[in-house]
């Protein structure tokens, strides 16, 4: 903490641009401190990295260039890339110069990710990619994509996949943003028509991409279990990469107001406080059924926090709690669903209305005012996301059953059948 605080004192200035600040933060190893020392990190544990994140938040600076590049691509490339690939990709990630997306899921391959059918065929020093991805978070802002493609259909599905660092800005890549029911466009569908990726952008050996992808997925799940993906502070957030256009803007534009700086919110995923206030505002706080559910919401929130703390403490000692990340995600999903249902119940008929822009909000406030209504309907609409991404609830339970409890796999194991001979509907 002392070393970082001293470093911030010597390097932070509100006169900097976002790009200049991230350049200093990233090259000093503070943006992604969990990366190895030789790969722009400091070799810190997850617990220590969280301390770094909190310390940075407490100093009133803007945080690291968080995105899928920092969270997923950098650790994967650090683990499986050559030294030259680490030099080529990781500096731009830790300094926010490049933004990444994760091109894994497809219309026919989500839970069964190894069943993906986007193809990459070798053409000299390059690979030519055809196919489609979907659910690509931040696809519209991405400079590079972590692409999983099938490079050999004649071997079992897990054995014919390759992991590539695909340049997104090329004619063969068509990114079409999708509008969610929340009103936001957080993800896109991405089409590849003769898209090209150089062979030297292949991370790991050809057809060994499943092993590489498992590192990406493990980092993703570990972050979820430890509460690592939560935003610490309010205020506008700077987005890395060349597309968002934030790098040349002054850091001042992205500073949170002092009252929204709250490092102590870490780990608190349950908005029980919000629901208690909503129940009071609606005159329902003495209703025994409502009180029961408020208590459940509080308990789930505490479970999330304690699970994260337990995992962090065990990991700080070099250990692990098998299945804890999966369990934590399941508890968070329950908590979000309960928050959604309780919020909507408290709102009554007002809960069926949601505004998507300022004009709509003004109209709604005039026609059907309701304190906390907009936050409750926003929470309700977003509650569906976490139980799906990073592996659905059912998949988390399958993992717990098979890998932690040692229960037998589902019948009809096709893992030895070549991909090209798999039955299809
Ligand atoms: C907000 C959000 C962001 C996302 N961002 C990305 C991203 O950036 N990049 C990316 O690649 N993907 C992303 N995803 C995709 C996500 O990983 C997939 O949606 C998820 O893996 C589920 O796949 P699917 O949607 O194809 O559902 P399916 O796999 O078709 O599942 C449909 C239903 O069947 C159930 N099911 C499937 N298989 C089994 C089984 N064996 N046992 C029991 N039940 C089963 C599932 O639980 C689910 O209820 C994102 C998803 C969301 C919601």
């Amino acid at each position: 903490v002392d070393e970082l605080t001293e470093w911030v004192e010597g390097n932070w200035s509100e006169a900097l641009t976002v790009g200049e600040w991230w350049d200093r933060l990233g090259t000093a190893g503070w943006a992604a401190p969990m990366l190895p020392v030789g790969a722009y990190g400091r070799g810190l544990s997850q617990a220590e990295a969280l301390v770094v994140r909190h310390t940075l938040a407490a100093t009133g600076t803007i945080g690291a260039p968080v995105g899928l590049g920092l969270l997923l691509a950098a650790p994967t490339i650090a683990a499986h890339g050559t030294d030259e690939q680490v030099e080529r990709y990781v500096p731009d990630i830790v300094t926010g110069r490049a933004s990444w997306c994760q091109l894994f899921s497809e219309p026919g391959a989500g839970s069964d990710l190894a069943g993906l059918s986007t193809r990459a065929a070798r053409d000299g020093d390059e690979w030519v990619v055809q196919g489609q991805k979907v659910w690509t978070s931040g696809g519209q802002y991405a400079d590079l994509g972590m692409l999983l493609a099938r490079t050999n259909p004649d071997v079992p599905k897990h054995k014919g996949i390759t992991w590539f660092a695909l340049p997104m800005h090329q004619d063969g890549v068509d990114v079409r943003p999708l509008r969610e029911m929340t009103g936001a466009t957080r993800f896109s569908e991405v089409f590849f028509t003769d898209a090209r990726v150089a062979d030297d952008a292949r991370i790991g050996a050809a057809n060994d991409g499943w092993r590489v992808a498992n590192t990406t997925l493990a980092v993703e799940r570990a972050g979820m279990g430890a509460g690592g993906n939560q935003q610490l502070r309010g205020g506008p957030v700077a987005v890395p990469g060349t597309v968002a256009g934030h790098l040349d803007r002054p850091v001042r534009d992205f500073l949170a107001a002092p009252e929204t700086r709250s490092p102590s919110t870490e780990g608190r995923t349950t908005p029980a406080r919000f629901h208690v206030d909503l129940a009071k505002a609606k005159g329902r706080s003495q209703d025994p059924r409502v009180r029961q559910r408020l208590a459940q919401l509080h308990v789930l929130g505490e479970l999330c926090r304690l699970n994260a703390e337990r995992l962090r403490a065990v990991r700080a000692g070099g250990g692990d709690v098998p299945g804890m990340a999966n369990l934590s995600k399941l508890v968070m999903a329950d908590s979000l669903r309960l928050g959604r249902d309780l919020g909507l119940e408290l709102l009554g008929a007002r809960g069926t209305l949601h505004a998507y822009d300022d004009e709509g909000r003004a109209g709604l406030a005039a026609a059907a005012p309701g304190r906390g209504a907009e936050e409750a309907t926003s929470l309700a609409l977003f509650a569906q996301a976490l139980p799906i991404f990073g592996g659905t609830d059912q998949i988390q339970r399958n993992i717990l059953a098979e890998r932690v409890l040692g229960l037998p796999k589902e019948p009809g194991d096709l893992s030895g059948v070549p991909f090209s001979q798999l039955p299809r509907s």
Side-chain angles (χ1 to χ4, degrees), residues 57-76:
T59 55
T61 62
I62 63 167
V66 175
L68 296 183
L70 201 73
L71 294 172
L72 307 181
T76 306

Side-chain angles (χ1 to χ4, degrees), residues 298-308 328 331:
H298 176 76
V299 168
L300 288 173
E302 283 300 279
L303 274 176
C304 288
R305 186 176 66 79
L306 294 169
N307 278 343
S328 299
V331 178

Side-chain angles (χ1 to χ4, degrees), residues 43-290:
L44 300 188
S45 67
Q46 188 168 34
E48 291 165 330
L50 271 170
V51 175
V52 167
R53 215 155 60 94
H54 287 263
T55 307
L56 272 178
T59 55
T61 62
I62 63 167
V66 175
L68 296 183
L70 201 73
L71 294 172
L72 307 181
T76 306
I77 295 169
H80 298 277
T82 61
D83 290 348
E84 190 276 322
Q85 287 172 328
V86 169
E87 272 311 309
R88 192 182 335 151
Y89 297 115
V90 179
D92 281 357
I93 295 174
V94 296
T95 57
R97 285 192 290 262
S99 168
W100 286 64
C101 63
Q102 183 187 21
L103 299 164
F104 281 21
S105 304
E106 299 182 0
S111 302
D112 177 24
L113 180 59
L116 59 89
S117 50
T118 290
R119 303 181 312 282
R122 186 80 189 247
D123 179 24
D125 287 341
E126 290 184 323
W127 296 78
V128 184
V129 185
Q130 320 281 350
Q132 186 202 339
K133 299 287 172 175
V134 73
W135 295 105
T136 312
S137 301
Q140 64 271 47
Y141 296 114
D143 299 301
L144 287 141
M146 299 166 249
L147 171 71
L148 287 187
R150 184 153 309 279
T151 42
N152 185 354
D154 298 321
V155 290
K157 59 183 179 180
H158 295 93
K159 300 196 169 147
I161 293 171
T162 304
W163 202 111
F164 296 100
L166 178 92
M168 295 291 284
H169 307 307
Q170 55 168 309
D171 288 345
V173 177
D174 181 14
V175 181
R176 300 185 198 166
L178 294 168
R179 191 158 191 248
E180 307 157 30
M181 64 179 172
T182 59
T185 38
R186 288 192 188 82
F187 43 75
S188 301
E189 49 185 356
V190 180
F191 295 84
F192 310 108
T193 312
D194 295 330
R196 297 214 156 233
V197 58
D199 186 53
D200 67 11
R202 169 176 44 76
I203 307 296
N207 300 316
D208 197 26
W210 187 247
R211 199 167 64 87
V212 184
N214 268 305
T215 297
T216 319
L217 297 173
V219 191
E220 188 173 15
R221 290 193 179 132
M224 287 170 184
N229 289 341
Q230 287 154 39
Q231 181 106 18
L232 280 180
R233 301 159 56 204
V237 177
V239 176
T242 62
V243 184
H246 291 175
L247 296 178
D248 294 330
R249 284 176 53 184
V251 285
R252 271 191 303 277
D253 290 359
F254 298 94
L255 289 175
E259 64 272 19
T260 63
R261 287 176 191 162
S262 171
S264 63
T265 58
E266 195 278 320
R268 293 204 173 262
T269 52
T270 301
R273 181 79 255 156
F274 167 76
H275 287 83
V276 168
D277 290 345
L278 190 62
K280 283 183 183 159
K282 292 280 164 193
R284 302 277 305 277
S285 57
Q286 298 305 315
D287 177 336
R289 266 189 63 249
V290 170

